[in-house]
Amino acid sequence: MNTADSLDDKFSPRTFTITTPLYYVNGSPHIGHAYTTMAADALARFKRLQGQEVLLITGTDEHGQKIERTATEANLSPQAHCDKVVADFQQLWQQYNIQFDRFIRTTDPHHEQIVKEFFQRVLDKGDIYQGQQKGWYCVACEEFKDERDLLADKHCPLHPSKVAEWRDETNYFFKLSAYQEKLEQLYADRPDFIQPTSRRNEVLSFVKGGLQDFSISRVNLDWGIPLPNDPSHTIYVWFDALLGYISALAEPGQNPDLTSSISKWWPANVHIIGKDILRFHAVYWPAMLISAELPLPKMVFGHGFFTKDSKKISKSEGNIVDPLQLAQTYGEESLRYFFLRCFEFGQDGDFSEARFVEIVNNDLANGLGNLLNRTLGMVKKYSEQLVVPSCNVAEIPADHPLKSIGQDLGSRVSNHYDQLAFSAAAEAVFDLVRASNKFIDDSAPWAMFKAGQQAELQQVLYSLLESARLAGFLLSPAIPKISTAIYQQLGLMIDFDHLQSTGATVDFSAHSAWGFLSAGGQLNSAQPVFAKLELASENST
Ligand code: MSP
């Protein structure tokens, strides 16, 4: 692993590169696509908040038989079909307020150039040879399957409505088997390379079973990149698409070659993917990179799958949850919050609209919104001016019910983000929100006011406002608009969306510390930061 590790050392720790998968354009985007992208966006926003220079890459995977067939069925040329679906993806990311930095299409001309250069490198290395490919191919997976892994009548387990097709053709192969030891060494040297642990174990056992070379070219398929050494073949869609992570890095106007493309943003810090495409990212991709003598990504995180009515949500199963319609009905912030909060990122989860509505109403309206609203209301009622109550934070004891939770919350949430533990991050913030609402009842500020206990009252109100602020700050990667509204009411003029898009920075350590609000600072009148949702249809589950 020396090649990879020594190149990794050149990586600047201030840059942080995140990728989503490059989505197939065989149909409209579904909620699984939105899920990965929301998570990647939240991570990107968190890292930007911490002052890192972040590059978030997303895009589309447009070649291959699956896309070619879909276009033919729609009576469109493959390119026209791709253009149409790409527009849907871009509209969706706008609707979900995704702040990506690069959108790579595998039909971009500069991508083709990078793929050909990469192919040539691996060929020159002696890792590509011609052979005969016989086997069962699932077009929906774009992958050859072991016969023993197929269901009855040769149906694919991942696409039970699709039948695998028999192929017997001359292909070019990549010598994956030559990388068995190097990959095992990689997994041993870098236990964090594949996350979470359950996925790592899956890969370890797959690799232990012995790696076989895989075919990286197709005949009789025009919709792809021709091989530089044999244009009668096109490059296998996965060998092409993975390179999108590198061609996305080419600066606009730059001569797109491998060396210049990897100069600033490579290696990626994390490839966020679904568990179904783990092998490609955690086995094939590192082997390809080692062969081409390029640095390896730092981490591959394979998240879980959503089901609807306990069935995989997928185009081929026809039980798509339309993410665009969901966002248009409920607004993207509630969805961003729900998906990050309610599913442990590595685990599977079942989507239900009723549960979604219940949870966001409970957390965002009754929990967070109410906390701010009640507290600002009390400040207004019990003070002469609408300003941050005076309070000496240093004098508040460390075991104070809110300070004790708030004081190291920023570092706990950061640690959770480093592990892509989005739900744990939100849960940690909500411990503070829950404790704050309870603190209102326990400390009874109205009684303090009546008893003329001014100093105590000021401290209680300060602690509550400060806790609402800190919660808003730490939730901003998930719900930037709500967080901006919270900050605005607290007299802090930060627009978390604007901040991200202009590349401006905030002092993360100051804002993430409990006790940031300055006494006497002007506050604004309370406005609901989140309007309760109504379940759109009675039949929704
Ligand atoms: N084109 C490949 C990726 C190439 S990356 C160089 C691909 N595309 S995909 O559109 O089929 O899937 C993209 C992602 O969506 C995958 O990470 C997949 O796991 C994820 N999901 C697809 N269905 C999903 C759910 N039902 N739930 C969660 N994620 C799901 O694979």
Side-chain angles (χ1 to χ4, degrees), residues 21-24 30 33 61 238 245 274 276-277 303 305-306 313:
L22 307 185
Y23 302 110
Y24 283 132
H30 65 71
H33 302 137
D61 184 355
W238 271 101
Y245 296 142
D276 56 330
I277 53 175
H303 66 68
F305 258 57
F306 289 125
I313 301 170

Side-chain angles (χ1 to χ4, degrees), residues 116 121 143 162 172 267-268 334 409 430-431 483 494 497 499:
K116 284 180 166 162
R121 266 207 202 192
E143 190 182 15
K162 307 272 174 177
Y172 287 85
S334 55
L409 187 61
F430 266 83
D431 282 347
S483 297
I494 291 185
D497 269 331
L499 178 83

Side-chain angles (χ1 to χ4, degrees), residues 14-296:
R14 284 193 59 77
T15 61
F16 199 92
T17 305
I18 306 167
T19 69
T20 74
L22 307 185
Y23 302 110
Y24 283 132
V25 290
N26 58 314
S28 301
H30 65 71
I31 196 69
H33 302 137
Y35 179 56
T36 322
T37 313
M38 284 187 260
D41 182 63
L43 181 63
R45 286 173 186 260
F46 197 85
K47 291 288 166 189
R48 289 196 199 104
L49 214 51
Q50 289 182 308
Q52 297 215 332
E53 222 187 320
V54 175
L55 194 80
L56 172 58
I57 296 170
T58 189
T60 42
D61 184 355
E62 304 184 16
H63 289 133
Q65 191 144 38
K66 171 155 72 169
I67 310 296
E68 192 183 54
R69 281 189 187 171
T70 314
T72 310
E73 281 161 22
N75 246 329
L76 288 171
S77 71
Q79 189 65 56
H81 164 79
C82 292
D83 292 349
K84 195 162 150 257
V85 181
V86 164
D88 292 344
F89 272 96
Q90 290 176 336
Q91 183 194 4
L92 187 69
W93 301 153
Q94 201 176 1
Q95 186 78 42
Y96 275 80
N97 199 8
I98 304 296
Q99 293 189 329
F100 58 83
D101 300 287
R102 300 281 163 87
F103 190 102
I104 182 75
R105 298 182 57 176
T106 58
T107 50
D108 286 341
H110 81 272
H111 171 75
E112 174 163 347
Q113 214 168 311
I114 295 271
V115 173
K116 284 180 166 162
E117 186 189 345
F118 184 91
F119 189 96
Q120 192 62 49
R121 266 207 202 192
V122 176
L123 186 68
D124 294 345
K125 189 73 179 285
D127 282 338
I128 293 177
Y129 64 93
Q130 217 177 35
Q132 195 65 18
Q133 172 73 62
K134 287 186 189 181
W136 295 98
Y137 193 71
C138 171
V139 175
C141 292
E142 292 281 16
E143 190 182 15
F144 279 99
K145 300 280 173 184
D146 275 348
E147 191 165 355
R148 62 168 184 261
D149 294 335
L150 294 173
L151 305 174
D153 300 333
K154 305 288 179 284
H155 283 75
C156 167
L158 294 178
H159 303 95
S161 59
K162 307 272 174 177
V163 188
E165 299 169 17
W166 177 252
R167 299 280 158 83
D168 181 357
E169 57 188 42
T170 304
N171 285 172
Y172 287 85
F173 283 74
F174 173 68
K175 273 191 199 163
L176 183 64
S177 57
Y179 291 93
Q180 172 100 23
E181 253 176 54
K182 285 194 169 119
L183 288 174
E184 284 176 340
Q185 194 60 46
L186 161 72
Y187 308 141
D189 290 349
R190 296 214 219 149
D192 291 344
F193 179 67
I194 306 163
Q195 293 285 328
T197 310
S198 53
R199 306 270 179 264
R200 172 178 145 80
N201 293 340
E202 238 171 77
V203 170
L204 294 188
S205 87
F206 171 73
V207 173
K208 203 166 160 207
L211 291 176
Q212 288 177 8
D213 300 346
F214 68 99
S215 71
I216 55 167
S217 77
R218 297 288 180 267
V219 281
N220 308 320
L221 174 67
D222 291 336
W223 186 236
I225 299 174
L227 263 61
N229 61 326
D230 182 351
S232 67
H233 290 240
T234 49
I235 296 181
Y236 170 44
V237 63
W238 271 101
F239 203 85
D240 155 355
L242 286 161
L243 263 303
Y245 296 142
I246 290 182
S247 55
L249 304 175
E251 296 295 335
Q254 187 185 54
N255 179 32
D257 62 22
L258 279 171
T259 311
S260 57
S261 297
I262 63 163
S263 62
K264 177 165 182 189
W265 296 103
W266 192 256
N269 292 69
V270 54
H271 290 313
I272 301 182
I273 56 162
K275 61 181 183 177
D276 56 330
I277 53 175
L278 186 63
R279 246 176 234 181
F280 295 104
H281 285 80
V283 182
Y284 292 16
W285 181 224
M288 288 161 60
L289 289 166
I290 300 169
S291 170
E293 298 183 11
L294 293 171
L296 305 184

Side-chain angles (χ1 to χ4, degrees), residues 417-454:
Y417 264 90
D418 284 340
Q419 309 291 318
L420 279 75
F422 304 105
S423 57
E427 181 58 36
V429 176
F430 266 83
D431 282 347
L432 181 63
V433 173
R434 264 190 301 272
S436 302
N437 279 317
K438 181 169 181 300
F439 187 57
I440 298 182
D441 299 333
D442 292 349
S443 59
W446 43 90
M448 289 176 172
F449 178 69
K450 266 197 187 153
Q453 296 171 311
Q454 263 308 314

